[in-house]
Each structure stands twice: as C-alpha cells, then as structure tokens.
Amino acid sequence: MDFGFSQEQEMLRATARKFLENECTSTFVRARMDEPAGVTDDFWAKLAEQGWLGLVFPEEYGGSGLGFVDLTVLMEEMGRCVMPGPFFSTVLLGGLTILEAGSPAQRKEWLPKLAAGQAKATLALTEPNARWDAAGVTATAKEGKGGFALSGTKLFVPDAHLADVIVVVARTAEGKTPEDGVSLFLVPKGVKGLEVKLLPTMDQTRKLCEVTLKDAAVPAGALLGGKGAAWSALARVIQRATIALCGEMCGGAQRVLDMTTEYVKIRVAFGKPIGTYQGVKHKAADMLVDVENAKSLTYYAAWAADENSPETALATSMAKAYVSDAYRKVSAAGIQLHGGIGFTWEHDLHLYFKRAKASEFTFGDATHHRERVAQLIKL
Amino acid sequence: MDFSLTPDQETFRQTLRAWLKGNIPREWKHVGSSEIPRVEAYDLLKRWQNSLFDAGFIGLTWPKEYGGRGLTFMEELILQEEMAFAKAPPILNVLGVGMAGPTIIAYGTEAQKKRYPAKILSCEEIWCQGYSEPNAGSDLAALQTRAVKDGEHWVINGQKVWTSFAQVADWMMLLARTDPSAPKHRGITYFLLDMKLPGVTVKPLRQITGEAEFNEVFFDNVRVHESQVLGDVNAGWQVGITTLMYERLTLGFALQTRLRIALESLIELGRRMEKHGRAATKEPVLRQKIAQLWIDTECLRVTGARAITKLLRGEMPGPEASAGKMVWVETHQRLQELAMDIEGPYAQLWKGSPWAIDGGVWQHSFLRSRANSIEGGTTEIQKNIIAERVLGLPKD
Ligand SMILES: Cc1cc2nc3c(=O)[nH]c(=O)nc-3n(C[C@H](O)[C@H](O)[C@H](O)COP(=O)(O)OP(=O)(O)OC[C@H]3O[C@@H](n4cnc5c(N)ncnc54)[C@H](O)[C@@H]3O)c2cc1C
C-alpha cells in the first residue's frame, strides 16, 4: 500500500504551481471576471501546450492518458488560484462525456481538438428543476426523418456561451425508470433553435448559462451513445467530474488556510500578532483539520475512480459531502480571521468564498451526498 | 497511489480473519462497545489479549527479540481493520501496548528491553501511566512528585491522579522531579515503577459512570532502584513525550477500529428503534447524521493510510497524524450523542432497568465519551499543538 503521490505527480504539482503563479495571478483572474469569456486565447493556448486539456484523454485522441489521481493534483493547483475559464466544462463535462459515451468516430472528431485547445465543449444537463438525477431530465428529443428535434430549457450550464459543441441531455422516450430514455446529443454552436444566455453569477470566475432549445434540429449522427440508454455513461461522467471538482475545492481551501496563516502571524492587535490568541489559533487548527480531511477523502475517491473500484460511488459521495462543507467553512473562517480587510473586494478571499459556494451546489451539496451515502451503505 | 496488498500481507489477512472467527470469546457482547475496556470485563479481556499474544497477533511492529513480530505498520493496519470487521474485544493492556512498550523499546537498556515488552504483550503485566497530578494536567511539566537519590535508590514522594488501571496495574510509567532547580522541562526523570513496592497506595476515584476506572496513587518514601530509570536522569521529559507520540500513533489506529465497531452497532440500534412510526435509520435528520458519521469514520481510516504511507516511506507523520486524535474525539462524542438521540426517552434508563435498551450499555459509553476530549491531552491542547507546531503560529 502506498497512499501518497508519486514523484511524477509531485513534479506535475510543482510545474502547475509555477505556471499558474505566473500566468493566473489575481490581476488576471479579476480581469476575466469582468469579461464574458472568462479566458484569453493566449492562456487557453498555454494550457493546451502544457498538455493539460488532454491530460485524462487517451493518447490515441491526442491526450496524455493519465488518471484521476494525476488530474487531482492539477485540479488542486487550479483551485488554488481560482482559475477562471472553461477548463472544467471542456475537459470534465463535454470532453469526458464524449469520451465515455461517444463512438470512436465522435471521439476522433472532438477529443483531439479539445486537447489541442482548438475547440471548447460543455454539458447541458440540469434544468430549472435543479435536480442532478435522471428524473430531472425533461428536455425532449423527437425523432424525425434524418435526425432529432430538441426542445427544453437547460440551466446552470457552465460556459455554454463559449462552447463549440454542447452535449445536451434530453429524453427520447419515457421509460419504466427515470434513467430509461435519457439520451445525449452533440449540438454544435449556431444551430437554429439553440439560444444561449450568459447569466450573472455570484462567483464571477464561473460563467453559467441558460440554454434554450426550440425544435433545434440535429442529424441522426449527433446522437452520442445509445438512444435512450445514456444515463449510465452520464452517471460515470458526473461521478468523475465530481471528484475533479473536489480536487479543485481542496486546492482552494488550502490556499485560504495558507493566506490566513500568513496573515495571523503578522497582523498585530493588543501588542501581539493575532495568531498568539487562542480564539484565533483554535479556528486555524479547525481549518487545517477540515482541509486535511477534505484531501484524504478526495484522494481516496480519485484513487477509486482510477481503479474502477466498486467503492467509487460511495467514495465520491463521501468526498463531495465532506468537501462541500469544508470549503465553505474554511473560506468563511478565512474571512473572519482577516477582519475588515477580508470583507473587501480588493482582497482575494471573496473569490474563494464565492467559488466555495458555487462548487458546493455543483453536482449536489452535502445534504444530497449524505443521502447518497445513506443509500449506498443500505441505511 | 496503490491500496493493494503484497501476497504476504494478503495471506496475513486471511490467516488473521480465520483465526478471529474461531477465537473471539463467546461471552463478548459487542453491542455499544465503548473503546475503553470496562471494569467488569477485565478478566475476560485479559484472557483475550493473552490468546492474541499466543497467536502472534499483537505487537506486530515490535522487534522479534522483544516479543513482537518485526512487521510493518501495514500489517498493524490490517490487524486493526480485521478486528473492526470481526467486532473483536479491545486490548486490556492498552497503555502498556500503546505507550510503555514502544517507549521502552526506544529508550531502554538491553536488560529493560528483555525484561518488559513481551510481558506487556501477553498481558501478564499490566501497565498504568503516572503522569498527571493534582496540579499538573495540561501543564504536565509542572509536576511535583519528587525523586531523591539515596545510594543506589531513588526515594519517591508525592501523588498522581486520574491514573487509569492503577488498581490492576503491575507497573507504572512514572514521571518524577529529580532536579527542582533546573527549568521545569529539564529536571524530570522517567521511572519504571513496580506498583507492589512498599509505600505505593492506590485509592480508586469514582467517576461520571459511577465506576472507578481511574485512581489516585500516593507515594510515601517508595524506594526505586536506579536500574529502573528509563533513558537518562533528568531527560524524562523527552522520553515522556515520545510515549505520547506513540500513544497518538498506535492507539490512533486502534481507536479508529473501535469507532467503526461502535458505528455499526449504532446503525443496528437505529434499525431497531422507531421514530415516528418508522426505523430511526429512515428518519431524514437522523439518517443524515448517521451518514455524516460514516463519512467521518472512513475519513479517519483514509487519513490514517496517508500517515502510514509517510511512515512506510521513512518520513515522520505530518499534520494528518496530529489532527487524528482531535477528529476521533469529536466524531466519537457525536456518535455517542446520536445513540442517545436514537433512543429518545429510553436514553434516560440505566443498567438494571428492564426497559433499558441493550442493558444500558449505550448510556455507559455515552458518559464515558466525555472523557475523550480530556484524556491523553485535551482538545484545546491539541489545537494549540496543531496551530503552533504545524501551522507555526506564535506561542503565548
Ligand atoms: C478518564 C480519564 C483517564 C485518564 N487517565 C490518565 C492516566 O492514566 N494517566 C495520567 O497521567 N493521566 C490520565 N488522565 C488525566 C488527563 O491526562 C488530564 O486530565 C488532562 O491532561 C487534563 O489535565 P487536567 O485534568 O489537570 O485539566 P486542566 O489542565 O486543569 O485543564 C482544564 C481546562 O483548561 C483547559 N486548558 C488548560 N490549559 C490550557 C491552555 N494552555 N490553553 C487552552 N486551554 C487550556 C483544558 O483544555 C481544560 O478544558 C485521565 C483523564 C481522564 C478524564
């Protein structure tokens, strides 16, 4: 047994830390917050150059064929600098779904482009009913001659305004179970009947869209995976994207702890650094415990995913439940220990606090995942 | 990352599993089992530990020549996991196995290492820990029990308090002041004290559960031979701290095991108890709380695996290990509170009542759990340690 990172993984971490500290500074992040794109072409090209856009794609599709433990390292570093832009949506939502559900031809068409930074993708899963399960899918796909017509409203879709292709989850039939009849479609941008609206969000580093489909016509070849039988592939994508998100959240939480530790060592009140006071010390110790525990469960889930372990579903829900609470608590405690300055726009803490909140409700919050755990342990 | 076992480790697991199946005493009731051996079960637990020793399933990481198996922490982890799955009884000589033995192996003379560790493992000799005093708890270095040299002997006078197992112990890890003029951490010596020496008096202290698990111990001109010093004279603080480090490490694994056992018992309790006409495990709020306990218990296991990995790679355990005790305490206390929630009004009934659930065993473990955040260093002290030694915040 060896439950630690390898030398290669530590090297990946060091490279990513250095790159992002140079390229993804607070100034860069803030500039992206104000623009709809949330990313620059230059930055995107550099991510591709690093090989990160294809990190988890197989080599035959232009990727590096690495696993989720490797990806976790990278996600932690990206979370550390609240990296904006469509990395998550392109790689873990759109890209992974094409990889999991697509035919070899569909993969060949899209994955090399995504890995090379020449195209962006996303996944339109959730709807105004805000559910993460199959029962939440009410958008429809009507089969006609030569293709399908998609209708419905998708909400909370990350980066749909940037995507060259949106993977849309829609129902081709009402089945015996909610999972029955769920299908996936590759919908390229510009299709008639597809409308994408960028929504103002609390976390401006994460761009969310409303996607409306009104009889949007796609050819038969746009069907991704089996007709009416896509849920299991999708569930796997959601699971893996959740693990990656947990990694990102851990990185953010660690950064808040680091900033806070540094600050309480130098900020003086009543003639002493505030870190001398136990009210401060004990909060900091609690933060450390939350961060370390969050990492433990995230690493475990990433390992389980790489091993295709039957424990992956449970491990993922344990991680997301814990990490959702932990990042929220740690980022709030960070603000508290900074006092007034932590409440300003100028200080970076609010970026983490907001990212924590956004991530908390992506793929289900702690309550949602505790219930999943309860089901999985047959409570 | 790799959680797989070597073929040898896999064989070890299978052998152990088979052995546990046939050897857990039938009288052992795991229901609501507290992590700490209960007074009424001492005899049973002594026999249990002895049978573990005979089978070679204790002291795995200790060197062979001192009664151990010379294995790695990996086998220790497997052992703890299997004990949890089998709902095995706890070890009676916890302080000996978790603290005295490893410290003697680390600091003892060859004679001491030959003399004590094996008997600790077999439970032939039970150990207690004489650290705390009426005026030295969290501030342990303030201890005042005196040891004065007289020829080949040290003469001990003073008092210890909260000494668990002193009433049954054969030996004590004793910290006493040998140089009152030195700074408080520098004048302390670590003694291996025979509890049967003249002048040692043990007085039981009744505690919150009504029983007497811990004691006061008085020393009235107790003469201890100089060969009973562990480590150097006046270097006892360092030795004592090592003991505490082992406590956190080895006991940490064991505690995680007990937690898992307690959690499974709790779930079983929840299935039996009704809330609003359905099983407590189906009641949404309790269900959430149980799931969270499951997550936290698993988290301790995985965090433990990270710490063991560091050990196996030859590094010292980092923040993961120091946080472990604190997390365990909080989780276990929450578990015991939840058992009371699940029992509802029945939580009020004590052992002896015909209506008491599971014979009132949960009430006992609930009360006992309040000690968790005090014994072995309070939670406040743990947080100070994490803040100062791990995060590097300034000392007072
Ligand atoms: C069931 C049980 C079994 C025990 N068994 C043993 C044993 O076998 N051998 C042994 O030697 N001891 C044993 N102890 C004693 C235990 O180690 C001490 O009780 C513990 O270290 C606390 O010391 P104290 O009781 O003097 O409390 P105090 O040190 O007086 O603490 C009182 C309160 O003040 C807080 N406090 C103290 N200092 C600080 C500080 N610097 N910062 C913040 N808060 C602080 C504490 O956290 C606590 O909340 C046992 C205790 C219990 C409850």
Side-chain angles (χ1 to χ4, degrees), chain B residues 100 193 285:
Chain B
L193 177 99
V285 175

Side-chain angles (χ1 to χ4, degrees), chain A residues 226-273:
Chain A
K227 190 171 72 176
W231 185 261
S232 64
L234 195 56
R236 228 176 105 88
V237 171
I238 295 172
Q239 190 177 79
R240 275 148 173 81
T242 303
I243 297 168
L245 181 64
C246 287
E248 191 196 80
M249 295 165 81
C250 287
Q254 177 70 56
R255 179 75 184 109
V256 172
L257 174 61
D258 293 349
M259 285 196 282
T260 306
T261 308
E262 277 161 44
Y263 185 73
V264 303
K265 283 180 194 168
I266 54 164
R267 170 70 180 170
V268 172
F270 303 99
K272 291 180 195 167

Side-chain angles (χ1 to χ4, degrees), chain A residues 71-91:
Chain A
L71 181 70
T72 298
V73 171
L74 189 60
M75 294 309 303
E76 281 188 275
E77 295 308 314
M78 291 177 170
R80 198 178 163 82
C81 63
V82 276
M83 192 180 97
F87 179 89
F88 199 85
S89 48
T90 295
V91 177

Side-chain angles (χ1 to χ4, degrees), chain B residues 87-315:
Chain B
K87 299 188 166 48
I91 300 300
L92 176 60
N93 201 7
V94 263
L95 300 178
V97 175
M99 305 168 84
T103 313
I104 292 169
I105 291 168
Y107 285 96
T109 61
E110 198 50 36
Q112 287 169 336
K113 290 196 264 193
K114 288 243 158 66
R115 166 66 186 78
Y116 299 104
K119 291 192 165 142
I120 288 174
L121 293 180
S122 67
C123 207
E124 198 177 328
E125 292 178 346
I126 293 177
W127 282 71
C128 66
Q129 177 196 15
Y131 281 23
S132 304
E133 297 182 4
N135 290 310
S138 300
D139 184 11
L140 182 59
L143 61 89
Q144 288 161 5
T145 292
R146 280 284 278 133
V148 178
K149 195 74 195 277
D150 180 23
E152 283 183 12
H153 286 80
W154 290 90
V155 182
I156 318 272
N157 279 289
Q159 180 197 345
K160 294 291 167 179
V161 74
W162 324 128
T163 323
S164 307
F165 302 110
Q167 75 277 34
V168 287
D170 303 284
W171 294 91
M172 174 188 273
M173 303 164 252
L174 169 70
L175 289 182
R177 190 159 300 284
T178 37
D179 184 357
S181 61
K184 67 178 184 178
H185 294 91
R186 304 248 175 82
I188 296 171
T189 299
Y190 196 114
F191 293 93
L192 309 175
L193 177 99
D194 183 348
M195 291 292 281
K196 286 174 226 60
L197 286 176
V200 177
T201 312
V202 177
K203 285 195 186 150
L205 285 169
R206 203 162 173 217
Q207 59 204 38
I208 194 167
T209 52
E211 60 192 2
E213 172 199 317
F214 58 23
N215 308 268
E216 291 177 292
V217 181
F218 297 90
F219 310 103
D220 180 16
N221 287 316
V222 178
R223 296 180 67 82
V224 182
H225 192 260
E226 61 186 2
S227 62
Q228 295 303 100
V229 169
L230 184 67
D232 292 330
V233 172
N234 291 330
W237 182 254
Q238 197 45 48
V239 184
I241 290 299
T242 307
T243 305
L244 294 179
M245 192 193 79
Y246 283 116
E247 178 187 32
R248 237 164 282 153
L249 215 70
T250 338
L251 284 185
F253 295 160
L255 290 179
Q256 198 269 327
T257 309
R258 313 307 313 165
L259 190 62
R260 175 64 183 260
I261 296 176
L263 178 56
E264 291 191 358
S265 303
L266 178 95
I267 291 174
E268 201 264 313
L269 174 72
R271 292 207 166 102
R272 274 186 280 136
M273 297 297 297
E274 266 194 16
K275 281 276 155 171
H276 317 300
R278 58 188 159 182
T281 46
K282 299 289 180 196
E283 197 280 321
V285 175
L286 293 175
R287 202 172 154 78
Q288 284 275 317
K289 290 187 179 177
I290 297 172
Q292 186 63 52
L293 281 171
W294 187 279
I295 295 167
D296 294 332
T297 303
E298 279 295 282
C299 185
L300 273 160
R301 178 175 71 85
V302 180
T303 305
R306 285 172 72 198
I308 292 173
T309 297
K310 288 202 172 175
L311 280 174
L312 296 174
R313 288 180 177 185
E315 300 164 37

Side-chain angles (χ1 to χ4, degrees), chain A residues 2-3 281-282 370 378, chain B residues 2 271 288 309 313 388:
Chain A
D2 185 273
F3 192 43
K281 269 188 186 149
H282 289 187
R370 278 191 292 265
K378 305 201 163 59
Chain B
D2 177 16
R271 292 207 166 102
Q288 284 275 317
T309 297
R313 288 180 177 185
E388 288 167 13

